[in-house]
Amino acid sequence: MQTDAAAVDLAGTWWFRLSPRADAPLDFIDPEAAPPAAGEIAVPSHWVLPSGGDRGNPIYTNIQLPIPLDPPHVPDENPTGDYRRDFVLSEWDGARTLLRFDGVESAFRVWLNGQEVGGSIGSRLVREFDVTEMLHDGRNVLAVRVHQWSPGTYLEDQDQWWLPGIFRDVTLLARPVGSVDDVWLQSDFDDDSGHGRVTVRLDAEDDAFPVTVRIPELDVESVFSDRAALEAAPSFDVGQVDPWSAESPRLYEAIVASAGETMLLRTGFRTVRIDGDRMLVNGRPLTFRGVNRHEFHHRLGRVFDEEAVRADLLTMKRHNVNAIRTSHYPPHPRTLDLCDELGLWVILECDLETHAFFFVDWVGNPSDDPAWRAAYLDRMERTVERDKNHPSIILWSLGNESGTGQNLAAMSSWTARRDPSRPVHYEGDYTGAYTDVYSRMYPTPHELETIAAEEGDIFGCAPAEAARVRTRPMLMCEYGAALGTGPGGLDWYDEVVDAHSRLHGGFIWEWRDHGLEVEPIDGGRHFAYGGDFGEEVHDGNFVIDGLVLSDGTPTAGLVEFAAISAPVRFAFAGETIEVRNRAHSLSTAPYVFTVSAESAEGTLAAEEVTIDVPPGETSAFAIPARIAEAASGADDAWLSMTAALRSDTAWACAGHVVSRAQRSVPTRPPLPSPNSFPTVVRTGDDLSFTAATFDASTGGLVELLGFPVEGPRVELWRAPTDNDRGKGAGSFELGAPESTLRGLGRIPGEPSEKRWRDRGLNRLRHRVTSVSRSTDAVRIESVVGAADKARQLRVAYEWLDLEAPSPLLVVDILPDAGWDSSWPRVGVHLTLPAALDNVSWVGAGPHESYPDMAEGAWIGVHERHIDVLNTMHARPQESGHRSNLRRVDITDDAGHGLRVRTGPRRTADLPGFVYSRWSAHELDVATHPFELPSSTRNHLYLDDAVHGLGSRACGPDVEPRHALWPGARTFSFRFERLG
Ligand code: GAL
C-alpha cells in the first residue's frame, strides 16, 4: 500500500555497541550527551553477520534451544545490541507520528529524545509506537536496545539460524489530520455472476470522512460521507471482473481518499470457500504444488533484498511452484506484494514455534498456559492486521510445531471472527479441534491414502476425531525433505493427491539451503552450516535442505518437482497421447504443444498439435502418423511431447517448457554366450592386446585404447546422501508386511547409511582368484567381501574383442546367500586421467536422476564439464548419477578420449554413470567441500543399478520398488577411442 502521507526511512548507518549481558549501562540514550565510543552498524542487518568479526556468531539449531529451557527467563549472558541515530525533521506534517519497526530479533526497547517510547517482542512482526509527544522539529535522537534472548525466544524456536538485530526497516510515519489508521478492502468474486464485490473496513477518526473508494479501471466510485454511512452499507458490487488466481494474478488499482490522506492499493477479487472436504477458490478446487519458504539470503540472513526475492519467486514460477507457506513467520511485507503480482497461493504463518517443549513431553508448553494467552493473541493480531489486504493469502496459519492448547485455539477463534474470509491452518491440531483444514507433515503416501479413504486409523486421532478430520480438506504443510541429493519419491505423492479430491497437495520442505557464505576457503566458496561457528549446541547441516542451493542455484530436486508439478501432464497410451489439464482455472490455450521423434542424431520429425483442454479435464489425440513412422524407422528413437509458453509472461519468456513427457523403448541386444578362456595367466606374463593392456597379477587395466585407465572393480558404495542418513518416518526394509506400513507408517528403522556401514559396504576388499585368457579375451575372477564380514560376491570380469577397436567388458556378479540389506549401487569403478574432463552423453539429463527422481531428466544428447556435472552440496555426498544411458563420451580439450556404450545386459532398465573428481569414499568422509583432497584422477562409476533417494531425512525411506536389493547381475559396456 502506498500513501501520500510523509514517511522517513531510518535505514542507514547507526551508532552500535554490543554487550555480553542485558544490563549494560543505559549511557547512550541521553540526546544531549555523545554516546560512548563504539562501532557502527547498518540498519537493517543482523549484528552477527558477516560472521568472523567481534560481534558474535550465528547459531543454528532445529528443535534445541541455545539457552536453558527455563521459561520465561533467559540467562544473564544475553548479547545486547545498543543502537542510536540522529535524524532531522523540518515542516513535519504529523498531527500524529508513528515509529514503525518491521522486524527486530528478539526483544527491544526504544527511547526518543531521551524519553522511553516502549518495548516489543515478536521478531518477525511489525510494531508501531505513537511518538507524537516526543518528536520535535529539528534534531531528534533515537536509541534502541535489542536483546538476543527474551521470553519471545521460547515462542520462536523455529528450525533456522538465530540472527539477532534490527533486521527490517525502521520508519517514521506521519499521520496527518483526517488520515486513515487502517483500511481493508475485502474483494470477493462471485463465480456464478462473475461480479466482484468490495467490502470496505476502515479504522479512522470522524475527521477522516468523507472517504472515497475508487477503482478507476472498473469505473467504480463509492463515497462514504460519514461513519454511519460506511457502517450501514460497507459493500458495493463492482460488476464484471477478472478474478485473481495464482495462475492469472489480476490486480486492480484502488484509491482510498480520506479527508487527509490518499492511499493506493492493489486489490484482487477472489473468494475462498470450504465446501465439505474441498477447499475452493472462486468456486474451483485447487491443489497446492508448493514450497515452504523461509526468509533467507546467504550473505544477509533474513534481511530483505527485493531483487533477490523477486529472483527467488521467478525461479519458483518457472519450476511450476504455485504456492508458498511462509514458514514459519510473516516475511517482509514486500514479498507478499510480489506474490500478489506474480501469482502464488500463500499460507501466511504467524511467528510462533515452541518446539523445544517437545523434549520435555510438552510440559510447560506456553501454548496451553493462560499466562501466555496475550502474547499468542498479540502475535496473531499483528500477523493478520499487517497482511490482510493481500489476495495471494488464502489461509492463515497459527504457527508451527507448538504442541497444542487453549492459546492456539484462542488465536484461531480470534482469526475466524476478524477475518471470516480465510480458513485457519495449524498442523499441530491433529484432531481438528480448532482449525478449518486438516494438515499433516511428512505422511507417507500410504498414510495419505488412508486419510483419503473412508476409514482407517489416523495419526493421533480417536475414531471420532478421525471421522472429523475426514470431513475437512487435507493438505501436507511439509513433505519431500529436500536435504542434499533428492528428494526421491515425489511422483508417488502426486499420484495419490491427484486421485483424491479431499487431498489438496502440499509444500516441499523446503525452498532454499540456509548456508551462510563465509570467507572462501582454499579458493572455493564456502557455505557454513550448524557447528561451523563453534556453536556448543547445534544441528549440523540439517539447515541445508532446499530445492535451491544457498545462493539460489536450482538443484535437480527442483527440476524433478517442476516435472511432477506441471499444470499440464501427458501420458502415452498406445497410439495416442493424453493431455491432462490440472490447472485451477486456465485452459491450455497459453501453450504450444509439440510432439517429436528424436534419436541420438537429433530431432527426426516434429509437429505442433492443437488441443484445447479445459481446466480439470483430460483429452487425447492421435500421435501424428509422420512422427510415429519417424520413431519406428530409426534405431533407438524416442517420442517427446512438450508444452511451451506461447507468449511471454511476467515470469518466463515464450518458448519456456512447462511440461514434457517421453516414451522410449530401447532395443535389447542379447548377451554374448559364455566363452572359454583356455590359458591361465601367471605373474610376469605379457597381457597386452590391441585395445588394452592388463596387469597380469591383478587382471586390472593398465591402459585402455591408449589411455592410462585403472579398474574396473565392482563397487557397491556411494557417499551417503542426507536422506540415506536420515531417520525420518521409518524404513521399508524391515521386512514389515505392506499392511503394517499402510497404517501410521511410522515404524522405526535404522537409516540406510547405518545398515550399509554395518554390513561393510564402504570397505570392500577384492581377492583375485584367477586370470585367464584366449587370443582376444581375458577373464578375471575375484571374490569381493567386506572387512570383518563373511558375505561375499563372486565376480567375473570378461574382456572380449580385445583385438578389435571396441572391446566389450562383461561383468557377472553372484552374491552368496544371506545379503539382507539394500545396496547403494552396483556397478564398476574405473579411474581416468584428470585431463579427460568433458562429458557428453546420450541418456537422461541434463540433470542427475535416480530411480525415484527420474521425472525431471529427459532422454537426449547432453553435455557438461566434469566440474559442473555434479552438485557440490555444503556437505559432500553422492550426486550426479545419470540414468537411462546409451553412451557417454569423455574427452580432453583436444577431443581425445573414450566412448562407453551400454552393452547387452540382463535387465530391461538401462544403466547409468557418475563421473567425478572424487571417489565415493573421498566424498563420504569430507564434511565440507574444502576438506576434499586435491584430485589427480577422475572417477568413473558405470552403474548397472542404483538405490533410490527417498526423503527420509524427515519422511519415508526409498519405496520398495525403487530399492536396490542384492541379486545376481550381468551387464556389459563397450569402449571406443575418440580422437
Ligand atoms: C519440520 C519443521 C520444519 C523443519 C523440518 C525439517 O518438523 O516444521 O521447521 O524443521 O521439520 O525437516
Side-chain angles (χ1 to χ4, degrees), residues 51-86:
S51 61
D54 52 4
R55 300 204 304 238
N57 277 313
I59 302 170
Y60 164 58
T61 61
N62 171 15
I63 307 176
Q64 310 184 73
L65 273 183
I67 59 169
L69 191 66
D70 176 24
H73 311 290
V74 298
D76 297 338
E77 296 95 341
N78 186 359
T80 292
D82 292 330
Y83 295 72
R84 170 172 160 154
R85 71 160 288 168
D86 293 7

Side-chain angles (χ1 to χ4, degrees), residues 671 674 714-716 764-767 769 779-786 790-798 810-819 823 826-828 906 944 965-971:
L671 281 160
V714 158
E715 188 52 81
L716 301 180
L764 297 185
R765 302 288 183 267
H766 304 251
R767 178 167 61 86
T769 52
R779 178 180 170 93
I780 303 111
E781 292 183 1
S782 78
V783 179
V784 179
R791 287 181 196 119
Q792 283 159 347
L793 306 175
R794 311 277 148 174
V795 182
Y797 309 89
E798 275 180 21
V810 185
V811 182
D812 250 307
I813 300 176
L814 307 175
D816 57 14
W819 288 86
W823 287 343
V826 57
V828 291
R906 196 162 166 198
D944 190 42
W965 206 255
R969 323 242 7 152
T970 306
F971 54 92

Side-chain angles (χ1 to χ4, degrees), residues 60 62-63 157-160 292 294 325 327-328 349 353 355 400-401 427 441-442 477-478 481-483 509-510 542 545 953-955:
Y60 164 58
N62 171 15
I63 307 176
D157 185 26
Q158 292 99 343
D159 174 6
Q160 61 175 347
N292 280 278
H294 263 287
R325 171 178 178 230
S327 53
H328 301 298
E349 192 149 277
E353 175 159 340
H355 212 169
N400 187 55
E401 296 186 317
E427 183 266 350
M441 51 172 76
Y442 309 106
C477 67
E478 293 177 28
L483 287 90
W509 186 263
E510 71 168 309
F542 205 61
D545 53 1
C954 248

